Amino acid sequence: MTPPILIFDMDGVLVDVTESYRETIAATVEHFTGARPTNDQIQQFKNQGGFNDDWQLSHYIIGGVGFDVPFDEMKAYFQELFLGTNGTGGLILREKWIARPGVLEKLAEQFRLAVFTGRPREEADITLKRFAPNLAIDPIVAMEDVAQKKPAPDGLLRIAAEHPDAKLIYVGDSIDDARSARAAKVPFIGIAAPSNPTYLDLVFLFQEEHAHAIVDDINYLEEVFAQ
């Protein structure tokens, strides 16, 4: 029997990116504009949808306050902050793994584990090798693997096409994740952390997208599947 595939988004689901991606967005905007957006403001953009790509979000915020910065220049600064010089010492090292020891290993007894992320593959690989080097996660669908970014369902449809006999479930923490799952006709489990500055807004958004379940973090998934 083909096992169901439990597909994770990465940022905010597997990894706490408050001090990595979110900090890089804020620092990049501040560098080019002199004004630093708060985490609350960044989350409000995320809740609008269409801002799954942090490069595009950073550039949008910079342009929105009247600064005309070439996208490639902004992206280069962002990447240097995030990855550091020659791939060492960047803010990516501030990431924190969310799953408690044994949680994903337990889920792997019931599901095949996979990832569909908006990250570039290099950055996904760095984090997965750092925190989960011995965990079987396959397939991994990253930014370069899809023609259209979330909320388009391309990544989920790709996994579905490669595994036509498997039931898919997608776990994400953004409205773009939820809309991607709905477009692919894949059940969605929303992650809405109480520490999120727009927690209640996110819960309501997930409910509007008919989420199968909404939990605080992935450590509660075992309870969802035990029901």
Side-chain angles (χ1 to χ4, degrees), residues 17-32 36-37 39 42 54-55 57-59 61-62 74-84 90-95 123:
V17 295
T18 304
E19 296 299 322
S20 61
Y21 276 115
R22 294 298 175 94
E23 174 62 23
T24 305
I25 293 170
T28 298
V29 171
E30 183 177 28
H31 174 77
F32 288 106
R36 182 183 179 88
N39 192 43
I42 293 171
D54 289 344
W55 298 330
L57 174 55
S58 301
H59 197 244
I61 297 173
I62 291 168
M74 181 281 309
K75 177 182 172 182
Y77 184 83
F78 186 108
Q79 289 301 97
E80 184 175 357
L81 280 180
F82 188 71
L83 292 177
L91 294 177
I92 192 172
L93 297 180
R94 295 188 183 181
E95 293 182 335
E123 295 168 21

Side-chain angles (χ1 to χ4, degrees), residues 9 30 37 58 75 83 146 148 159 213 227:
D9 176 47
E30 183 177 28
S58 301
K75 177 182 172 182
L83 292 177
V146 296
Q148 301 179 87
I159 295 173
Q227 296 175 2

Side-chain angles (χ1 to χ4, degrees), residues 103-120:
V103 168
L104 293 177
E105 289 79 3
K106 186 71 173 177
L107 289 170
E109 297 174 2
Q110 185 178 356
F111 299 94
R112 178 172 182 162
L113 305 184
V115 161
F116 169 36
T117 177
R119 287 185 180 215

Side-chain angles (χ1 to χ4, degrees), residues 53-194:
D53 184 328
D54 289 344
W55 298 330
Q56 291 183 342
L57 174 55
S58 301
H59 197 244
Y60 180 85
I61 297 173
I62 291 168
V65 291
F67 290 83
D68 185 13
V69 177
F71 180 84
D72 288 345
E73 179 183 347
M74 181 281 309
K75 177 182 172 182
Y77 184 83
F78 186 108
Q79 289 301 97
E80 184 175 357
L81 280 180
F82 188 71
L83 292 177
T85 304
N86 298 321
T88 61
L91 294 177
I92 192 172
L93 297 180
R94 295 188 183 181
E95 293 182 335
K96 299 176 183 177
W97 194 245
I98 294 173
R100 292 191 292 266
V103 168
L104 293 177
E105 289 79 3
K106 186 71 173 177
L107 289 170
E109 297 174 2
Q110 185 178 356
F111 299 94
R112 178 172 182 162
L113 305 184
V115 161
F116 169 36
T117 177
R119 287 185 180 215
R121 179 167 292 277
E122 176 191 9
E123 295 168 21
D125 287 344
I126 288 171
T127 295
L128 292 174
K129 288 176 181 176
R130 178 184 175 198
F131 290 110
N134 300 316
L135 190 64
I137 301 177
D138 178 61
I140 298 171
V141 178
M143 174 188 286
E144 301 91 330
D145 301 317
V146 296
Q148 301 179 87
K149 300 172 185 177
K150 291 183 280 187
D154 295 30
L156 296 175
L157 294 177
R158 175 174 176 152
I159 295 173
E162 293 174 353
H163 305 276
D165 297 328
K167 177 183 178 181
L168 310 185
I169 302 170
Y170 191 39
V171 183
D173 74 320
S174 73
I175 190 60
D176 283 340
D177 293 331
R179 289 171 179 167
S180 179
R182 178 164 56 85
K185 297 181 171 58
V186 169
F188 176 74
I189 296 177
I191 301 292

Side-chain angles (χ1 to χ4, degrees), residues 47 192-194 196-207 214:
N47 286 359
N196 187 313
T198 60
Y199 167 74
L200 288 178
D201 291 340
L202 195 56
V203 168
F204 290 140
L205 288 170
F206 287 159
Q207 289 174 339
I214 302 170

